[in-house]
Amino acid sequence: MSTVDALPGPLSAQRVRRISRWMVAACWALLVTLPPALVVYWATASADQLAAHANLPAQAIAAPLALWQRVAGAAVTAVPLGLLLAGVWQARRCFGMFAQGQVFTLQATALLGRFAGWVAWAALASMLAGSATSVLLTLNNPPGQRHLSVGIGSDLVFTLFFAGLVWLMAAVIAQGQTLAEENEGFV
C-alpha cells in the first residue's frame, strides 16, 4: 500500500497527484523568489521597518544606517531563510513523490520529517537572527542607545508546534509503513 491509489476518503488519486504538482510548483516559486525578495527588502526598507523587523521600537535607530549594516543584516537574516528553503526543498521532493503516486513510502515520510526539522531550525535561527539584527542596526547609535532585543512571539511558538506536529506525523507514518512491510513478510 505505498501508492496514492490506496488512499481512502474524498481525495482521488488523480486529485492528489494534481494538487501535489501544484505544490511542487509553489515550492519552486518560493525557492526562486524568496532570496531576491530578502535582498530587495534590505536594500529598500526604511530604518523604521527594519527596526520593527528586529523587534525594536520605531525610533530605535538613531544614526543613519550604513551600507555595511544593511549588508550584514541581510546576511544574518539569510541564515534562517536558507534553513527554511532547505525545508521547502525537502517538501518539494516529497510532493514530487506524491505527484508520482508514491505516498506511503519510507522515503516520502523521511522527506516530510526532514521538512519539519528544517522548519524548526529555521524558526530557532530566526529568533537568534532577530537579536543579532537588533544589535547590528543600533551599533552606530551613541553609547547607552544601543539595543539587544529578544523576540519570542506566537508566530515562533506556532511554527515550532507545526514543525513538531509534522515531524511526529511523519515518524508515525514511517512506523506504520515498517509494520505493514513486516506483516506482508509473514503472509
Side-chain angles (χ1 to χ4, degrees), residues 9-71:
L11 283 180
S12 68
Q14 183 180 16
R15 190 165 182 206
V16 168
R17 288 183 178 132
R18 184 175 64 248
I19 292 169
S20 295
R21 284 191 296 274
W22 279 103
M23 293 303 291
V24 168
C27 288
W28 274 117
L30 291 172
L31 289 164
V32 170
T33 60
L34 287 180
L38 177 77
V39 171
V40 169
Y41 173 76
W42 276 94
T44 62
S46 70
D48 290 348
Q49 289 171 318
L50 295 174
H53 180 82
N55 300 310
L56 294 170
Q59 302 302 323
I61 303 172
L65 286 176
L67 176 61
W68 73 265
Q69 288 174 293
R70 287 184 179 269
V71 171

Side-chain angles (χ1 to χ4, degrees), residues 91-166:
R92 182 204 61 81
R93 291 179 59 204
C94 184
F95 288 126
M97 292 186 72
F98 292 171
Q100 296 171 3
Q102 300 172 9
V103 178
F104 297 113
T105 66
L106 290 177
Q107 184 180 5
T109 54
L111 290 168
L112 197 57
R114 285 187 213 134
F115 162 76
W118 284 112
V119 168
W121 282 114
L124 293 173
S126 178
M127 182 181 69
L128 296 174
S131 296
T133 303
S134 70
V135 171
L136 283 169
L137 293 176
T138 60
L139 205 56
N140 285 343
N141 287 1
Q145 294 183 14
R146 296 177 183 142
H147 295 270
L148 167 64
S149 70
V150 178
I152 300 174
S154 59
D155 57 337
L156 173 69
V157 172
F158 178 77
T159 302
L160 289 172
F161 174 77
F162 172 75
L165 183 75
V166 172

